[in-house]
Amino acid sequence: MLEGLHPNRPTHVFRITTDERSARAMTDMIGEIFDPAETAVASFETEDDGPWLLEAYFAHQPDEAAIRNLLRPIVGAEADKGVFLPLEQKDWVKSSLEGLKPVRAGRIFVHGSHDREQRLPSDIAIEIEAGLAFGTGHHGTTKGCLLAFVDELKMRTPRHVLDVGTGTGILAFAAAKVLKRPVVAGDIDPEAVRVARENARLNGIAAWMRLYVGPGIRHAEADRPGHFDLVFANILAKPLRMLAPALARVASDDGTIILSGLLYRDVPGVLSAYAHQGWYLQRRYDLDGWAALVMTRGSARALPRL
């Protein structure tokens, strides 16, 4: 999963400080217009009740004038105050990770090497060094999936887990560490799988990971009808809709599918695609403009929005 984070080997970044409304609007616009494999964008509050910072990463040198013109209808002349900077490949990941706080979802604690001392004895700790391409768990899509997984564990204990679009492997690692069972995880990008494999080794769970390279479930490890009682798919709206028949086929009758990578406006279309396969919303988690959906088979029923 690209997670709206850094593309492979980004060469430039655009940064602009603004208010929350403008930051979210610009994030949505850039995310819609640019290829997510070449450009990634995120925005976040820099301090409590303070300004917001938008960062857009580009795999190639961007057309600065065109981007400023694109943003001008949202922020007016403030678009000219945004800064374009080249990135040093060997330094930017390390420096960005050191500025990130750990992520907690129940006992699951995702952190970089610089925050090892913050782990508690009872934590299920996952240490992530992102490499040059992928997320660290700070994005709302990943944290939403982790929170959904924690709540799922309060009701049952999954036995067979699949993570489609694994990225750095955080969701698969959480499942493997909690359940102490092998987990199948794949990604279309070989670099993602390489990074996930290295992160699995770092976390001492390499023997539990069944990693594959391929789109969706197109691999013998994943294409197992009715086998998985928990499926993660943290990707993007369009591939999630296209994958609905495939994910429904490999999920068990009593299984759960956790979907994310969705802007709020994407949710109705994704729900419709899965309803056609007999899957309906049970819980929803909204974080930082992104939604995570917990789906099960059976009849649709009205549940409170989380």
Side-chain angles (χ1 to χ4, degrees), residues 10 13 31 33-34 36 74 78 82 90 115 120 125-126 151 154 156 176 183 189 208 214 239 260 273 300 305:
V13 61
I33 291 176
F34 291 92
I74 299 174
E78 294 294 309
K90 63 180 180 180
D115 281 318
L120 301 176
I126 301 171
D151 286 343
K154 297 174 183 176
R156 67 189 188 95
V183 172
D189 191 327
W208 285 345
S260 196
R305 176 169 164 173

Side-chain angles (χ1 to χ4, degrees), residues 189-251:
D189 191 327
E191 179 69 4
V193 175
R194 184 196 68 76
V195 172
R197 184 171 286 112
E198 177 61 22
N199 280 326
R201 184 198 62 76
L202 176 68
N203 284 272
I205 54 173
W208 285 345
M209 300 309 302
R210 305 289 185 264
L211 293 164
Y212 68 90
V213 177
I217 62 165
R218 294 184 192 173
H219 191 277
E221 289 278 10
D223 195 358
R224 304 172 68 180
H227 179 72
F228 297 100
D229 54 354
L230 178 61
V231 177
F232 293 108
N234 183 16
I235 316 177
L236 292 169
K238 183 177 179 180
L240 283 179
R241 293 194 302 270
M242 295 175 64
L243 280 170
L247 297 188
R249 181 164 56 83
V250 299

